[in-house]
Amino acid sequence: MSDRISRRVAAVPPSGIRKFFDIAATMQDVISLGIGEPDFVTPDVIRQAGMDSLTRGETRYTSNSGIFELREAIVKKWAQLYGIEYHPDQETLVTVGGSEALYLALMAIINPGDEVLIPEPCFVSYEAEVVFAGGTPVPIATHVETLFQVTGAQLEAAVTPNTKAILINYPNNPTGAVLDHEYMAEIAAVAARHDLIVISDEIYDRLMYAGQHTTFSSLPGMRDRTIIIGGFSKDYAMTGWRLGFALGAADILAVMRKVHQYTIMSAPTTAQVAAITALTDPRAEDAVYSMRESYNLRRRLLVDGLANIGLTAFEPRGAFYAFPDIRVSGMTSDEFAMTLIDEEKVACVPGPAFGLGGEGYVRMCYATAKDQIEEALERMGRFVRRHG
Ligand SMILES: Cc1ncc(COP(=O)(O)O)c(C=O)c1O
């Protein structure tokens, strides 16, 4: 390989999701269940706050850590929702999406050779980001039998003297799994026993359809070994604003702030001002509630519809994804997704794009218009009857 390019970065394969978007983009009349973002426009009251900020001419950098009022609003909301307190100065950082927070967390803790345990299937960026930060990803397949939750025994079996952290994400992309308390306690026990850091990506925290979200840092003994990754993209339909945050112990957050300072300076100012409204205006809270209700109706439509056509879907309890088992088709996940888009023009993402444990499944996002989901079910029904 040429020396022009970093070997470490070149070795990371491109995202398996892109391939399907690229194919879908060249076709007419495709129903896409492939993209993982809300189909809502950001609620009016939040957009207006961004526009007002621009009208006032607030176009400069903010403090590196983010506007103080926003950091205060974040910690207040987190305390109110989940009963755990953070300091808005030392323990809070406003970032460019949850994506940046995740990257900073890994940059802040990884020394060469450190291993990060990653329950999979998982968000496509995790393994790549661990590699970029100089660490070694250690994937662990989760299974439908444990509702795609990682068990303490699985983690324990993967721990080595080089293990540094566990990277978890519940509610989960791509499975829709959430974490039951018994599994949380098992993860916490492994982290405590081996002195590991837990990076908990809770970007879908408000998108729970059964029960309340529990933040991982609220577990006994976990607060100072957990880095919380949070965001506005999913809960508030703000993907394009590029805003997220990190909460965690002051020593780790100080190092994350340093990387952020040198690489980013500060998160987008307009987005930060809008996010204050997202967290503090009751109309924004009403919007979160009604968007969730709408996802929930579409979740039922898709999951029940899939079951009716013979694609058993595990019951997703959070986020906005269904992860049906497609083995009845006799195809691999890749073949299923390719043939489905080719014959019926429905785009979904093959499970293996999300790592170990994904074979035999595909991800379908139900943040898609109801009539599109109905039409997709029609087409998939035909498809399964033809191939099943
Ligand atoms: C699990 C998970 N974490 C993080 C992100 C990144 O989100 P953001 O838009 O906040 O960078 C996503 C986006 O799809 C995600 O699914």
Side-chain angles (χ1 to χ4, degrees), residues 127-207:
E127 283 199 29
E129 294 207 36
V130 170
V131 173
F132 294 161
T136 305
V138 179
I140 299 172
T142 61
H143 304 287
V144 73
E145 291 74 20
T146 56
L147 306 180
F148 291 106
Q149 300 170 97
V150 70
T151 68
Q154 285 182 299
L155 292 168
E156 192 65 57
V159 168
T160 74
N162 295 325
T163 308
K164 183 63 172 279
I166 309 172
L167 171 45
I168 55 173
N169 164 230
Y170 298 97
N172 182 265
N173 171 10
T175 62
V178 304
L179 203 52
D180 290 327
H181 285 252
E182 66 199 269
Y183 287 88
M184 268 193 199
E186 288 184 18
I187 299 170
V190 175
R193 194 173 309 124
H194 300 282
D195 193 19
L196 306 178
I197 290 167
V198 177
I199 301 175
S200 184
D201 179 347
E202 302 184 13
I203 198 137
Y204 295 96
D205 65 316
R206 308 295 306 280
L207 297 178

Side-chain angles (χ1 to χ4, degrees), residues 350-374:
F354 307 98
L356 287 187
E359 186 49 59
Y361 299 86
V362 297
R363 186 191 78 174
M364 296 178 180
C365 174
Y366 51 81
T368 306
K370 181 168 167 279
D371 61 337
Q372 293 271 290
I373 295 176
E374 282 164 349

